[in-house]
Amino acid sequence: MGEIAQGVVYGLVAEIIVMLIVIVIAKVKNSSLFMIFAASKIFGHGIEYVYKEQRDASKDILKDIESSTTVKLLCMRGRSFIQTDAELSQILEKRNLTIQYLVLDPDSQFVQKRADELNKQNYKQELETNISDLKTQTQGKANVAKRIHDQPPVFRLLILDNRIYFSFFEKNKLGSQLPVFRAKDSSPIYKGLVRYYEYIWGISKKLV
């Protein structure tokens, strides 16, 4: 592993440790958002808010997209930003945005593992269908770049100019059902996860 890759991995591990500490603190204190904010001040990771799931975060995501020049996505399928979420899927119509989709390769060894977690027998087929939809709906859009990767699905990331929205994949929960963390661009967690995204983007394959 090269020095750059090592730096990304070590930085990411450090951020995950901080996150775990924060989550433990929150659980001990009855999952109080106040404790998460307090821990944010103590550890300086910059988490501003935690949403129960994606639909609770949609309005704030759209507001932040309005002031952003780029949208970078790392997800399993990206369905919310293609068709299932009427509001979030509107970003495809914004020609002033540079959009990057980074989705899991349907042929990845990790697809079956995720399928087992979700108890879905046709999960690979669902991924293939969604990738086909993504290609169709972004055809001819010069501002949209699409790549597929073969890395473990750990995070669900939405990176904007001034904030990041992210979730940790869990068993028996779809991406849209996961708690969503929001952090500002000046925070260590934002910088660490952006570095992680750029690393995965760099070793991924162009989706054609």
Side-chain angles (χ1 to χ4, degrees), residues 52-181:
K52 184 178 180 181
E53 56 186 42
Q54 179 182 284
R55 64 181 179 181
D56 299 316
S58 293
K59 288 185 178 180
D60 286 340
I61 289 174
L62 289 170
K63 182 179 178 181
D64 283 330
I65 285 176
E66 288 298 326
S67 59
S68 188
T69 60
T70 60
V71 175
K72 299 179 180 180
L73 292 157
L74 172 64
C75 44
M76 293 294 296
R77 300 178 294 175
R79 291 183 71 227
S80 297
F81 293 88
I82 304 172
Q83 56 189 204
T84 58
D85 190 307
E87 293 181 320
L88 294 179
S89 61
Q90 292 177 12
I91 69 168
L92 286 177
E93 305 306 318
K94 297 181 181 295
R95 297 285 180 169
N96 60 325
L97 279 176
T98 298
I99 305 172
Q100 294 181 193
Y101 279 93
L102 188 51
V103 296
L104 188 64
D105 188 337
D107 293 324
S108 169
Q109 60 179 315
F110 301 109
V111 169
Q112 186 57 51
K113 293 180 180 179
R114 183 61 177 155
D116 292 341
E117 289 183 343
L118 296 172
N119 194 27
K120 279 179 168 282
Q121 294 183 347
N122 300 320
Y123 195 59
K124 179 179 179 179
Q125 184 179 348
E126 289 183 16
L127 261 66
E128 291 173 337
T129 299
N130 279 274
I131 285 177
S132 177
D133 290 340
L134 174 61
K135 291 165 65 174
T136 299
Q137 295 193 37
T138 58
Q139 187 174 7
K141 296 181 184 292
N143 62 317
V144 180
K146 308 173 290 288
R147 299 182 75 89
I148 55 175
H149 70 90
D150 184 23
Q151 299 299 308
V154 180
F155 302 106
R156 192 170 189 256
L157 304 178
L158 169 62
I159 303 171
L160 306 173
D161 292 353
N162 62 342
R163 283 190 176 87
I164 186 169
Y165 292 81
F166 63 98
S167 302
F168 296 94
F169 284 114
E170 301 177 18
K171 285 186 177 181
N172 303 317
K173 280 190 176 183
L174 297 172
S176 59
Q177 299 171 329
L178 299 168
V180 179
F181 295 82

Side-chain angles (χ1 to χ4, degrees), residues 189-205:
I189 193 71
Y190 178 98
K191 295 173 182 177
L193 290 176
V194 167
R195 289 183 66 198
Y196 173 77
Y197 182 93
E198 296 300 342
Y199 171 69
I200 301 301
W201 183 267
I203 63 173
S204 61
K205 298 183 297 183

